[in-house]
Amino acid sequence: MLDLTSVLPLAIANADPDDGFLLHATVYLAAAVLAVPFAKRLGLGSVLGYIIAGVVIGPYVLGLVGAEGQSVMHAAEFGVVMMLFVVGLELRPAMLWRLRGPILGLGGAQVICTVLIIAGITMALGMSWQGGLAIGMCLSLSSTAIVLQSLNEKGLTRSRGGQASFSVLLFQDIAVIPMLAIMPFLAMVPEDDAAKALHTPHWQKAVLIIGVVAGIVLAGRYLTRPIFRYIAATQIREMFTAIALLLVIGVALLTQSVGLSPALGTFLAGVVLAESEFRHELEGNIEPFKGLLLGVFFIAVGATIDFPFLLKHPLGIAGIVIGLVVIKFVILFILGKVFHIGRDQNWLFSFALAQGGEFAFVLFSFAGTVDVLPIEVTTPLTLAVALSMMMTPLLLIIHERIVAPLMQNADAERHADDIDEENPIIIAGFGSFGNIIGRFLQANNIGTTVLDTDPEHIETLRKIGLKVYYGDASRIDLLHAAGADKARMLIVAVDEKEKANQIVSVAKKHFPNLIVYARALDYEHGANLFEYRADKWRHQNVGSALELGVDVLSYLGWSPFRAWRASRRFSRHEDETFKKLLKFREDDKAFFDKARQSREEIEKIFMADAEFKENPDHAWDNTSLKEEVSSQQEEQA
Amino acid sequence: MPEFDRKILVLFAHPGLENSRCNQALKEAVCEMSGVTFHDLYAVYPDFAINVKAEQTLLTDHDAVIFQFPFYWYSTPAILKEWQDLVLEHGWAYGQEGNQLQGKLFGVVTTSGGGPEAYQRGGYNHYTMNELLHPLERTAILCGMRWLLPFAVQHALTIEDHELVEAAKHYRRYLEAIRDDTLDLNALPESGLINTFA
Ligand SMILES: Cc1cc2nc3c(=O)[nH]c(=O)nc-3n(C[C@H](O)[C@H](O)[C@H](O)COP(=O)(O)O)c2cc1C
């Protein structure tokens, strides 16, 4: 039913059947690679970049892609499906429950008001009430893909306005289903087969839908974890990618087969898995696919804009687009006031959602098939929806550059953005070392997000109530998913040198603001970490070896305080020795081979130790004082 | 377990015990005494990480508190200051609700390089031992404790062995008197050192 291939209204130049898939892929990827960074640099955001790229390679400019824009649209719709899966992953059920008010209240109000008002306007322009209602339903929806992607890129998803937008989008995605069901009833001619198919086996369908939803929830709860653990234990990374894709595609197919929106199905699956320790790993694996497919979707939107039609009726189309955006904006803004979204956030919310959505394409074409709306109506409206989608990034830029700064001055006291599970500290590696520092921080109420790759480890730690996630912290996407762009510090505590170096270098490169502290397995490793720009490192053994040293000296009869001071002094000496060695190494790199160098280094260490021994503090030694006082007394006597 | 009139807590502080002669001797004289808890702060908290709760419990369990330390720079070694700052909490040791130390005895046992001739007007140190210990005295009184005159072993740098043995015996007898309540608190004078009276 959501097969966009059959419904895209703007069939244009036929594709050469010999054109290979690879050629098309090349065109799309090249367009993306050229246009998106450019658009970003201009401050336009990636969405607009993709759409412009689509316009350029589309049939009216370069003509590199034509009708196959449609078939690509089909694959690209999957980007939306994946996006909702990722969105679901970030939404724990508890939070979804918390949002139930905005989803039902705000979302419901937005859809109903917009449908009625647009229906009223079109009727005033001479539409039948059935046609008006159909248009109202089509245009009441906004673009989940564009809005979420744009908000995400600007880091606004967790702001109040962002959350309100999300709630409304979620309601709209659900509302598509009843809309599709209602559409045939609006037909003035007797129902055709498509309509029958939709509403005859009512109860069977209901049972099926409930069954599928329950299946997703139960399987997500009880089945996925053992499967993921089994896959994780193989330590083959691409297996995880495979199972993540399998999961999303499978759920999408399943829900589509019972007539639910696949996006909704994967969203549900995402929510169910949001509590899983594999959440970040899943997210990391899906993310690149999601991003690319969404990109292709935006390109397709650009490529399918019907320029000849636009040029024929420029004023009419412009009027529709502006009318659409203004009407939606006004309704959203009033609702935002009614639902007490703060001032600045209400502007964001209203700008963000003031466009038509991808589902309008589907609904318009369906309305055409069931004879509710004639092609003369759907063609300009579909074009207007595509153009309004293109306007969204521009509106958000206006908000960011002009409205938000004004608002900020107007009311300085505003709610901080809702931050849910963003911890200031990320620990990579929860083995013997990471687990101590992690528990230490936890005990002092410092929120920590833990990443580890040993499934058994994770299982135990989760049992005692710690938040541990499965995943390889040297992957940018996983660090992203764990919140590295917002966290204050990453602690690298993995027990493999190479891995630790890799994590430090990736983190420092991609998250320049993130402070990175690391565990060094030995001094050699410490030097490496230093080269990879770790902000601080500690030798994993020096601390505990010296602590045991204190115990040894105390056992030998030293006073514990003296032993303790000795250990502190030695630790300082150790740091200094290392610094000298580093310098020595740099100076003599060219001359010494490795073996020779390490022999020299050991000698240096011993020499440094020998010097050091002669230098303790005087430990409240009063010998000289005694001598002086005694000699004075003798003099007096 | 024999019952005593008072249980005594000795808070001992010497940062360089390996170089100590006087405090070592005094310590040996009392540390095994029954009715006395000998608590070496530098040994228990070499990193100065004083466990406040544990210290307060110790205080609650005893009826007399003795600071034993070498006199350093007219004051106590550092950890005793740290101990006061951390353990004598407002609302516990002092303040409207702070009455946990009320009625306990508080005494100082110290060793000083200087002798009585130095600790007087016109002497090397100008002030008497009592005057120099005013901060501790006020602290004890603020916490509702009974301040005892200092027990001081003087000329600690040059003291003869037999004198030191004698001083240690004195110290032991002093603690016994507190423990068994044979010290006539009402008969104590305003100033001077307690060794001359005990
Ligand atoms: C750091 C330091 C400070 C001292 N300050 C004083 C002082 O202010 N007045 C004094 O009479 N003796 C002073 N002395 C001498 C000590 O009181 C003397 O060394 C100590 O009481 C001897 O006891 P001990 O054998 O247990 O170490 C000081 C000694 C040291 C090491």
Side-chain angles (χ1 to χ4, degrees):
Chain A
M1 161 190 331
L2 296 185
D3 181 358
L4 287 165
T5 332
S6 60
V7 302
L8 264 174
L10 312 164
I12 330 142
N14 284 321
D16 178 350
D18 290 336
D19 273 356
F21 163 76
L22 287 180
L23 183 62
H24 279 124
T26 311
V27 170
Y28 275 93
L29 291 174
V33 168
L34 290 176
V36 174
F38 187 63
K40 269 218 112 154
R41 178 136 310 169
L42 291 180
L44 299 177
S46 70
V47 177
L48 209 53
Y50 280 120
I51 296 180
I52 292 170
V55 172
V56 172
I57 61 172
Y60 305 108
V61 182
L62 293 181
L64 291 175
V65 293
E68 76 283 353
Q70 303 165 20
S71 61
V72 166
M73 200 61 154
H74 188 48
E77 195 218 0
F78 216 73
V80 181
V81 169
M82 287 182 160
M83 177 172 63
L84 274 156
F85 178 68
V86 173
V87 167
L89 275 180
E90 288 180 356
L91 259 188
R92 279 159 299 126
M95 187 167 149
L96 192 60
W97 182 243
R98 222 183 64 208
L99 283 178
R100 70 192 184 281
I103 293 172
L104 293 178
L106 188 57
Q110 186 272 335
V111 170
I112 291 169
C113 291
T114 316
V115 170
L116 292 180
I117 290 171
I118 291 183
I121 293 174
T122 48
M123 278 159 68
L125 292 175
M127 263 283 157
S128 66
W129 69 266
Q130 290 96 333
L133 212 55
I135 295 176
M137 291 198 298
C138 296
L139 295 183
S140 67
L141 306 173
S142 311
S143 171
T144 310
I146 287 182
V147 178
L148 289 192
Q149 178 76 7
S150 302
L151 290 180
N152 209 1
E153 209 166 280
K154 295 185 186 302
L156 292 171
T157 19
R158 288 177 196 272
S159 66
R160 272 180 68 98
Q163 296 235 328
S165 307
F166 173 78
S167 305
V168 171
L169 289 168
L170 200 60
F171 184 87
Q172 292 177 350
D173 285 350
I174 301 169
V176 172
I177 300 153
M179 285 180 183
L180 283 167
I182 291 169
M183 203 63 92
F185 292 108
L186 299 175
M188 283 167 297
V189 291
E191 299 165 8
D192 71 353
D193 293 340
K196 263 186 218 136
L198 256 170
H199 75 107
T200 21
H202 265 323
W203 63 268
Q204 274 181 352
K205 208 164 188 181
V207 170
L208 254 178
I209 290 177
I210 293 171
V212 164
V213 169
I216 292 176
V217 172
L218 291 177
R221 270 276 143 91
Y222 301 106
L223 219 61
T224 48
R225 196 184 278 186
I227 295 176
F228 286 152
R229 219 177 304 141
Y230 174 72
I231 300 274
T234 63
Q235 301 277 359
I236 305 173
R237 186 197 271 186
E238 58 271 25
M239 277 305 102
F240 222 101
T241 313
I243 188 131
L245 284 175
L246 178 64
L247 185 96
V248 174
I249 297 174
V251 170
L253 273 180
L254 187 69
T255 41
Q256 191 165 24
S257 71
V258 298
L260 276 178
S261 133
L264 212 63
T266 48
F267 171 72
L268 183 65
V271 173
V272 173
L273 290 172
E275 301 271 29
S276 156
E277 67 265 44
F278 295 99
R279 172 188 137 188
H280 288 317
E281 179 73 7
L282 279 173
E283 208 175 324
N285 275 302
I286 292 291
E287 196 76 47
F289 294 98
K290 178 204 97 175
L292 271 182
L293 285 175
L294 268 183
V296 175
F297 170 80
F298 299 134
I299 292 180
V301 169
T304 47
I305 290 176
D306 189 346
F307 281 97
F309 192 91
L310 177 61
L311 291 179
K312 234 183 277 165
H313 316 277
L315 289 181
I317 298 291
I320 298 177
V321 174
I322 292 171
L324 174 64
V325 171
V326 169
I327 292 169
K328 293 195 82 166
F329 180 90
V330 170
I331 295 173
L332 288 162
F333 197 80
I334 293 172
L335 287 176
K337 276 233 135 71
V338 174
F339 281 82
H340 301 298
I341 305 175
R343 279 225 306 179
D344 155 40
Q345 294 294 314
N346 193 19
W347 282 89
L348 172 65
F349 165 72
S350 310
F351 272 129
L353 294 178
Q355 82 284 96
E358 50 275 9
F359 281 117
F361 300 148
V362 181
L363 284 173
F364 273 133
S365 113
F366 186 63
T369 357
V370 296
D371 282 333
V372 179
L373 294 171
I375 186 102
E376 304 83 64
V377 173
T378 53
T379 306
L381 286 181
T382 311
L383 177 57
V385 166
L387 289 173
S388 75
M389 284 162 81
M390 207 173 150
M391 279 183 68
T392 303
L394 291 172
L395 288 177
L396 286 175
I397 290 172
I398 293 178
H399 173 263
E400 185 182 59
R401 303 266 163 88
I402 302 168
V403 181
L406 281 177
M407 290 294 131
Q408 215 119 43
N409 295 343
D411 44 1
E413 24 70 64
R414 276 177 323 130
H415 317 265
D417 292 352
D418 283 357
I419 291 176
D420 272 294
E421 199 221 1
E422 271 149 22
N423 287 320
I425 308 279
I426 303 169
I427 300 185
F430 216 60
S432 55
F433 193 94
N435 115 55
I436 293 174
I437 192 155
R439 279 173 35 229
F440 173 64
L441 294 173
Q442 209 100 32
N444 288 287
N445 290 325
I446 309 290
T448 43
T449 299
V450 175
L451 305 173
D452 197 292
T453 47
D454 182 344
E456 279 182 31
H457 231 145
I458 297 172
E459 188 52 21
T460 359
L461 292 168
R462 280 178 74 90
K463 274 196 192 119
I464 52 175
L466 285 169
K467 282 254 174 221
V468 192
Y469 294 102
Y470 174 82
D472 174 352
S474 64
R475 296 175 50 182
I476 310 164
D477 45 10
L478 192 81
L479 282 173
H480 242 297
D485 47 344
K486 288 157 206 142
R488 297 186 57 187
M489 183 186 285
L490 169 70
I491 300 174
V492 181
V494 297
D495 53 9
E496 271 173 79
K497 290 186 198 177
E498 278 304 313
K499 188 83 299 168
N501 294 345
Q502 207 182 336
I503 297 174
V504 171
S505 97
V506 167
K508 270 295 171 189
K509 211 172 285 156
H510 296 274
F511 305 95
N513 295 330
L514 189 66
I515 297 289
V516 178
Y517 282 14
R519 153 212 201 174
L521 282 95
D522 50 42
Y523 283 122
E524 174 85 41
H525 186 216
N528 293 334
L529 291 168
F530 183 71
E531 280 158 29
Y532 287 113
R533 295 191 294 124
D535 295 280
K536 190 174 209 107
W537 59 268
R538 288 254 177 215
H539 190 300
Q540 60 169 356
N541 293 332
V542 170
S544 40
L546 286 178
E547 266 178 40
L548 196 67
V550 172
D551 296 334
V552 171
L553 291 180
S554 304
Y555 174 78
L556 292 178
W558 286 42
S559 81
F561 186 52
R562 180 180 172 206
W564 163 257
R565 275 183 300 114
S567 83
R568 294 297 86 202
R569 247 187 353 258
F570 191 85
S571 156
R572 214 156 44 224
H573 156 72
E574 193 75 357
D575 286 351
E576 278 157 17
T577 308
F578 177 76
K579 274 192 206 120
K580 276 186 214 148
L581 280 183
L582 254 192
K583 207 175 155 346
F584 160 74
R585 223 182 241 225
E586 263 165 26
D587 295 348
D588 293 354
K589 220 178 236 160
F591 300 101
F592 296 113
D593 58 278
K594 252 211 151 97
R596 173 98 185 272
Q597 189 173 321
S598 65
R599 209 174 339 110
E600 296 258 341
E601 281 182 1
I602 291 171
E603 264 170 41
K604 285 233 176 238
I605 291 175
F606 280 132
M607 264 157 58
D609 284 357
E611 270 170 48
F612 165 73
K613 260 184 224 145
E614 289 152 16
N615 263 326
D617 65 36
H618 294 285
W620 297 274
D621 184 351
N622 57 6
T623 325
S624 61
L625 191 59
K626 274 182 192 162
E627 281 163 9
E628 193 176 308
V629 173
S630 308
S631 63
Q632 276 171 0
Q633 278 182 350
E634 271 161 37
E635 269 170 41
Q636 279 166 13
Chain B
M1 266 285 286
E3 277 295 315
F4 300 107
D5 289 310
R6 289 200 187 87
K7 291 210 292 179
I8 302 173
L9 176 63
V10 177
L11 294 170
F12 175 77
H14 198 306
L17 202 53
E18 49 283 350
N19 293 320
S20 161
R21 188 164 77 102
C22 301
N23 280 281
Q24 185 63 37
L26 296 180
K27 170 188 166 182
E28 278 162 20
V30 303
C31 67
E32 307 273 297
M33 246 176 89
S34 49
V36 170
T37 305
F38 195 87
H39 192 48
D40 183 345
L41 289 175
Y42 276 108
V44 180
Y45 305 116
D47 53 0
F48 273 54
I50 288 171
N51 181 342
V52 174
K53 277 278 153 304
E55 293 299 309
Q56 289 178 343
T57 311
L58 267 181
L59 287 171
T60 315
D61 288 347
H62 291 83
D63 310 295
V65 183
I66 303 291
F67 275 13
Q68 184 196 328
F69 57 91
F71 205 53
Y72 282 171
W73 288 116
Y74 306 108
S75 182
T76 68
I79 205 168
L80 274 173
K81 184 62 167 56
E82 186 88 341
W83 183 95
Q84 292 167 55
D85 298 352
L86 288 170
V87 180
L88 302 179
E89 281 177 330
H90 176 249
W92 189 85
Y94 72 100
Q96 275 185 340
E97 318 258 287
N99 53 9
Q100 298 292 317
L101 300 174
Q102 215 77 30
K104 295 185 196 295
L105 302 187
F106 182 86
V108 163
V109 174
T110 187
T111 63
S112 67
E117 71 293 341
Y119 286 99
Q120 61 177 331
R121 289 288 180 281
Y124 186 63
N125 294 316
H126 189 72
Y127 296 108
T128 68
M129 204 58 150
N130 271 298
E131 286 168 333
L132 291 167
L133 287 171
H134 275 162
L136 275 183
E137 178 183 340
R138 293 321 306 173
T139 300
I141 289 170
L142 191 75
C143 297
M145 294 193 280
R146 167 73 199 256
W147 167 257
L148 301 176
L149 294 175
F151 179 104
V153 177
Q154 300 193 298
H155 293 305
L157 297 166
T158 51
I159 190 170
E160 300 283 338
D161 281 342
H162 68 270
E163 288 174 309
L164 187 56
V165 170
E166 206 49 40
K169 274 191 197 146
H170 248 87
Y171 178 28
R172 189 186 169 96
R173 254 182 268 134
Y174 172 46
L175 291 197
E176 279 167 356
I178 293 176
R179 182 189 69 185
D180 305 330
D181 198 19
T182 53
L183 190 70
D184 188 353
L185 293 173
N186 297 324
L188 291 179
E190 294 279 297
S191 63
L193 300 178
I194 206 155
N195 4 0
T196 25
F197 308 101

